């Protein structure tokens, strides 16, 4: 997901501190760092969480809500595409229960459907806020499962998360350019 220089640097300092604490507690568990696949995907998750908070703070400002939702939609479209094209196929052989990957793909399909519905609506529409809230809850559930079950399993495996992360970053850059269009502020 796209991040700005200021917010990501503030978050990485906080993230580094929490990673150090978790490393001290569990030295046998590999810690995602830098640009490995898990670290990249977790940064995406944090960016979307930040955008959903901004959306909630926009309250009655329909123009601001629309702008923030468009950022959320872009971030989620790029994120789901790189997971589906790169991370999920690469990780399948390292995940014991294939339902983990299958469920993640089904959750993506549901989120994409809701995004498509929202893109046809205006913030003033009766169900707009409700649909954004449901999308947020779906994403939170998906993120929790990935970060607590799926990603740790990949990190403990022989999966080359560094190489996969490099491919994800390159593909994200391509997709951001394609989806954001000319003159967009979307960066990562």
């Amino acid at each position: 997901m796209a991040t700005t220089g200021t917010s990501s640097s503030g978050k990485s300092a906080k993230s580094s501190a929490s990673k150090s604490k978790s490393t001290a507690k569990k030295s046998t568990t590999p810690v995602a760092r830098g640009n490995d696949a898990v670290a990249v995907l977790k940064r995406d998750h944090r960016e979307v969480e930040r955008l959903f908070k901004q959306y909630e703070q926009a309250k009655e400002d329909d123009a601001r809500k629309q702008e923030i939702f468009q950022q959320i939609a872009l971030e989620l479209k790029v994120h789901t595409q790189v997971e589906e094209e790169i991370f999920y196929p690469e990780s399948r052989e390292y995940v014991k229960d294939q339902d983990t990957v299958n469920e993640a793909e089904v959750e993506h399909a549901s989120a994409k459907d809701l995004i498509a519905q929202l893109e046809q609506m205006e913030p003033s529409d009766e169900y707009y806020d409700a649909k954004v809230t449901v999308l947020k809850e779906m994403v939170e559930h998906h993120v929790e499962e990935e970060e607590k079950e799926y990603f740790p399993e990949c990190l403990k495996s022989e999966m080359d998360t560094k190489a996969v992360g490099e491919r994800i970053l390159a593909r994200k850059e391509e997709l951001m350019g394609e989806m954001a269009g000319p003159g967009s502020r979307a960066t990562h």
Side-chain angles (χ1 to χ4, degrees), residues 77-138:
K77 287 176 183 180
V78 170
H79 179 80
T80 59
Q81 191 162 336
V82 298
E83 279 189 329
E84 291 169 7
E85 287 180 4
I86 300 168
F87 188 76
Y88 293 168
E90 289 290 332
S91 65
R92 269 196 188 276
E93 70 180 275
Y94 302 102
V95 178
K96 291 176 190 161
D97 185 359
Q98 292 301 298
D99 282 345
T100 300
V101 185
N102 297 342
E103 288 171 16
E105 290 179 342
V106 170
E107 289 168 352
H108 278 193
S110 297
K112 287 190 255 185
D113 181 55
L114 200 47
I115 290 167
Q117 291 175 40
L118 281 157
E119 288 177 327
Q120 300 303 311
M121 299 173 72
E122 297 293 325
S124 59
D125 291 347
E126 183 177 6
Y127 288 98
Y128 192 88
D129 286 335
K131 289 186 181 205
V132 171
T133 299
V134 170
L135 178 63
K136 176 183 177 258
E137 291 168 354
M138 289 169 59

Side-chain angles (χ1 to χ4, degrees), residues 118-182:
L118 281 157
E119 288 177 327
Q120 300 303 311
M121 299 173 72
E122 297 293 325
S124 59
D125 291 347
E126 183 177 6
Y127 288 98
Y128 192 88
D129 286 335
K131 289 186 181 205
V132 171
T133 299
V134 170
L135 178 63
K136 176 183 177 258
E137 291 168 354
M138 289 169 59
V139 169
E140 287 172 345
H141 171 79
H142 178 76
V143 164
E144 182 178 353
E145 286 186 340
E146 281 189 339
E147 292 188 6
K148 289 188 177 177
E149 299 167 21
Y150 192 176
F151 292 170
E153 190 171 353
C154 292
L155 287 172
K156 290 176 189 174
S157 76
E158 297 297 316
M159 181 178 170
D160 187 351
T161 57
K162 181 71 174 165
V164 174
E166 290 170 9
R167 289 179 49 214
I168 288 172
L169 284 172
R171 184 65 175 134
K172 279 181 60 175
E173 188 172 327
E174 289 174 12
L175 291 170
M176 280 291 182
E178 292 170 13
M179 291 185 193

Side-chain angles (χ1 to χ4, degrees), residues 19 32-44 151 155:
K19 285 179 188 170
R33 293 189 186 162
N35 288 331
D36 80 7
V38 171
V40 171
L41 297 174
K42 282 184 170 184
R43 282 195 303 266
D44 290 353
F151 292 170
L155 287 172

Side-chain angles (χ1 to χ4, degrees), residues 27-95:
S27 59
T28 58
T29 303
V31 177
R33 293 189 186 162
N35 288 331
D36 80 7
V38 171
V40 171
L41 297 174
K42 282 184 170 184
R43 282 195 303 266
D44 290 353
H45 293 167
R46 301 297 81 81
E47 176 63 12
V48 171
E49 288 169 356
R50 184 186 70 78
L51 289 167
F52 275 121
K53 284 179 186 169
Q54 282 185 3
Y55 181 90
E56 290 171 353
Q57 293 168 351
K59 310 242 185 240
E60 302 300 317
D61 185 347
D62 284 354
R64 181 76 180 126
K65 288 187 335 189
Q66 181 71 33
E67 178 185 329
I68 296 166
F69 171 73
Q70 289 171 348
Q71 293 173 1
I72 291 168
L74 174 64
E75 294 291 337
L76 289 175
K77 287 176 183 180
V78 170
H79 179 80
T80 59
Q81 191 162 336
V82 298
E83 279 189 329
E84 291 169 7
E85 287 180 4
I86 300 168
F87 188 76
Y88 293 168
E90 289 290 332
S91 65
R92 269 196 188 276
E93 70 180 275
Y94 302 102
V95 178

